[in-house]
């Protein structure tokens, strides 16, 4: 008879990604891994997430590639069309620009252009995020580009359990998925159920229940919202945090239900505020809940500039918990 207690293990997001890859490759011989230095002889990937895979599954399934992002994605698409389930690692998200033709004109569109006859079950893993002084060509959040492209799912975990569960779902999905990792969440520890299975794509998570305002976020900005919510609680303001998990398709139902309850919303993301995912979410809330809103929807994102290098400028560029607190206070009035 079950006690109802969920057995968990503490791991980082990086370890959760590795666990998901091992599990997926053990269960399905069609799962492959492509990327720069992913084999053990090169160190198991730039962040060590693929360490041990080539030793266990062999070089035929774990392919270290040249520094050629277009070739990595092109090879993965070809393998997917041949019946495999490739996981392609692009070291940093800015480097997806080299492979944009492969991603948006081929992977995302082949099912549509073939009348549903050709599926492209490719998973693209990539890392990004400011806060580590890697500057303008290494730290951009570019998810809006891919959200704007029909045919590809965009996934942004914020904690180790979601890293594992969402990656398992991406690998199993019959269509292309891009899963965006960040330094602030990839190495942060958290509790992961021992039997953590796939987490459905397109379904948000209520990170914190509240009654006065809804904070809608994803990826590393969930951590910022958590810090802001703690401060707001001390000020007598109850915040509900919605972790989108998947940015495209995003969980409209969960967001609208929360905002209908609280009457106020702040959308927070690290990506540049101009033309960002927050604009789509805010517009939808305004259209669907105009009569139920107690205040205009607020959006927080980075300034319309490249990521600065120096630490003071980078900190000023990033959304901070104090920015979220100020935005909430402004709409509470």
């Amino acid at each position: 008879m079950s006690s109802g207690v969920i057995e968990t293990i503490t791991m980082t997001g990086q370890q959760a990604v590795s666990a998901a890859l091992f599990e997926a490759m053990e269960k399905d011989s069609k799962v492959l891994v492509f990327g720069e230095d992913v084999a053990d002889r090169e160190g198991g990937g730039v962040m060590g997430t693929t360490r041990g895979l080539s030793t266990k599954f062999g070089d035929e399934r774990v392919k270290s590639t040249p520094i050629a992002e277009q070739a990595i994605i092109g090879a993965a698409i070809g393998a997917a069309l041949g019946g495999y389930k490739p996981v392609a690692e692009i070291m940093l998200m800015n480097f997806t620009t080299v492979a944009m033709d492969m991603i948006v004109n081929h992977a995302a569109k082949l099912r549509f252009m073939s009348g549903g006859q050709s599926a492209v079950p490719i998973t693209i893993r990539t890392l990004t995020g400011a806060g580590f002084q890697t500057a303008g060509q290494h730290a951009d959040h570019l998810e809006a580009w891919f959200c704007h492209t029909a045919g590809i799912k965009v996934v942004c975990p914020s904690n180790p359990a979601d890293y594992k569960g969402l990656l398992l779902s991406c690998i199993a999905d019959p269509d292309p998925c891009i899963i965006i990792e960040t330094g602030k969440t990839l190495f942060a520890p958290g509790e992961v159920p021992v039997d953590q299975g796939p987490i459905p794509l397109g379904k948000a998570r209520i990170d914190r229940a509240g009654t006065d305002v809804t904070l809608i976020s994803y990826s590393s900005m969930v951590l910022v919202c958590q810090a802001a919510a703690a401060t707001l609680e001390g000020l007598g303001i109850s915040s509900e945090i919605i972790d989108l998990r998947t940015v495209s398709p995003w969980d409209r139902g969960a967001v609208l239900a929360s905002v209908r309850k609280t009457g106020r919303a702040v959308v927070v993301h690290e990506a540049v505020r101009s033309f960002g995912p927050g604009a789509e979410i805010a517009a939808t809330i305004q259209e669907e809940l105009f009569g139920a809103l107690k205040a205009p929807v607020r959006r927080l994102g980075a300034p319309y500039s490249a990521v600065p290098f120096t630490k003071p400028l980078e900190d000023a560029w990033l959304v901070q918990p104090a920015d979220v607190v100020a935005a909430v206070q402004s709409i509470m009035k």
Side-chain angles (χ1 to χ4, degrees), residues 34 71-81 84 86-88 120 122:
F34 295 150
I72 294 169
I73 302 301
I77 292 171
L81 292 172
Y84 290 89
V87 180
V120 187
I122 174 178

Side-chain angles (χ1 to χ4, degrees), residues 3 7 9 12 17-18 28 87 104 119 146 152 186 196 198 209 243 286 310 314 329:
S3 65
E7 186 179 358
I9 184 172
T12 64
V17 169
S18 183
D28 190 345
V87 180
V104 305
F146 299 104
I152 187 167
L186 193 62
Q196 178 66 65
D243 181 353
Q286 292 282 155
T310 65
E314 188 178 44
Q329 289 178 311

Side-chain angles (χ1 to χ4, degrees), residues 77 80-81 102-122 150-153 172-177:
I77 292 171
L81 292 172
M102 284 289 135
I103 297 170
V104 305
N105 274 333
H106 297 276
K109 295 178 181 176
L110 282 172
R111 178 188 286 279
F112 175 77
M113 296 179 71
S114 67
Q117 297 179 77
S118 298
V120 187
I122 174 178
I152 187 167
K153 297 180 177 71
D173 199 274
D175 291 310
C177 299

Side-chain angles (χ1 to χ4, degrees), residues 12-327:
T12 64
Q14 183 238 21
Q15 292 169 324
V17 169
S18 183
L21 291 172
F22 270 98
E23 183 175 315
M25 295 186 78
E26 281 183 329
K27 288 184 176 179
D28 190 345
S29 62
K30 294 292 187 180
V31 178
L32 312 176
V33 171
F34 295 150
E36 298 165 19
D37 300 333
V38 294
D40 289 336
R41 61 180 174 274
E42 288 93 14
V46 65
M47 293 296 173
T49 46
T50 58
R51 190 171 295 130
L53 289 178
S54 65
T55 298
K56 182 173 179 62
F57 299 107
D59 290 338
E60 291 301 309
R61 294 182 64 191
V62 183
K63 293 284 189 184
S64 282
T65 67
I67 303 174
E69 287 77 13
Q70 190 173 30
I72 294 169
I73 302 301
I77 292 171
L81 292 172
Y84 290 89
K85 298 176 182 178
V87 180
E89 179 180 309
I90 300 297
M91 186 185 295
L92 294 171
M93 194 172 196
N94 286 75
F95 304 162
T96 60
T97 57
V98 182
M100 286 297 278
D101 179 54
M102 284 289 135
I103 297 170
V104 305
N105 274 333
H106 297 276
K109 295 178 181 176
L110 282 172
R111 178 188 286 279
F112 175 77
M113 296 179 71
S114 67
Q117 297 179 77
S118 298
V120 187
I122 174 178
T123 299
I124 302 170
R125 290 181 46 244
T126 192
L127 177 70
T128 196
F132 301 94
Q133 293 186 269
T134 53
Q137 295 179 332
H138 300 82
D140 284 322
H141 266 267
L142 305 174
E143 59 269 19
W145 293 1
F146 299 104
C147 292
H148 194 67
T149 301
I152 187 167
K153 297 180 177 71
V154 182
V155 181
C156 299
S158 69
N159 61 80
D162 283 3
Y163 265 108
K164 184 178 181 186
L166 293 171
L167 179 54
L168 288 172
S169 289
C170 286
I171 295 171
D173 199 274
D175 291 310
C177 299
I178 180 166
I179 184 163
I180 303 167
E181 303 165 3
T182 66
K184 291 181 180 178
T185 60
L186 193 62
F187 297 104
E191 294 300 309
V192 180
V194 171
D195 60 351
Q196 178 66 65
I199 292 172
L201 303 180
K203 295 295 182 181
R205 174 179 68 91
I206 300 177
D207 178 78
R208 176 188 179 121
T211 57
D212 294 327
V213 62
T214 301
L215 306 179
I216 304 150
S217 192
Y218 54 89
S219 191
S220 61
M221 283 292 123
V222 172
L223 309 182
V224 170
C225 288
Q226 290 169 348
T231 299
L232 289 165
E233 184 177 24
L235 299 173
I237 299 172
S238 174
S239 306
E240 181 149 296
I241 300 175
I242 301 293
D243 181 353
L244 289 179
R245 289 172 157 171
T246 305
V247 185
S248 181
W250 63 283
D251 193 343
R252 292 165 52 108
V255 169
L256 294 176
S258 177
V259 179
R260 187 177 289 112
K261 177 180 71 173
T262 65
R264 303 176 182 89
V266 179
V267 191
V268 187
H269 54 59
E270 185 175 321
V272 168
R273 182 180 184 274
S274 299
F275 309 101
E280 169 65 22
I281 296 167
T284 301
I285 294 171
Q286 292 282 155
E287 289 171 354
E288 299 292 332
L289 299 178
F290 182 75
L293 290 173
K294 300 173 183 176
V297 179
R298 290 291 308 274
R299 290 182 291 134
L300 295 178
Y304 196 44
S305 76
V307 181
F309 171 71
T310 65
K311 184 64 174 170
L313 286 177
E314 188 178 44
D315 287 344
W317 186 87
L318 280 165
V319 176
Q320 303 291 347
D323 300 319
V324 181
V325 170

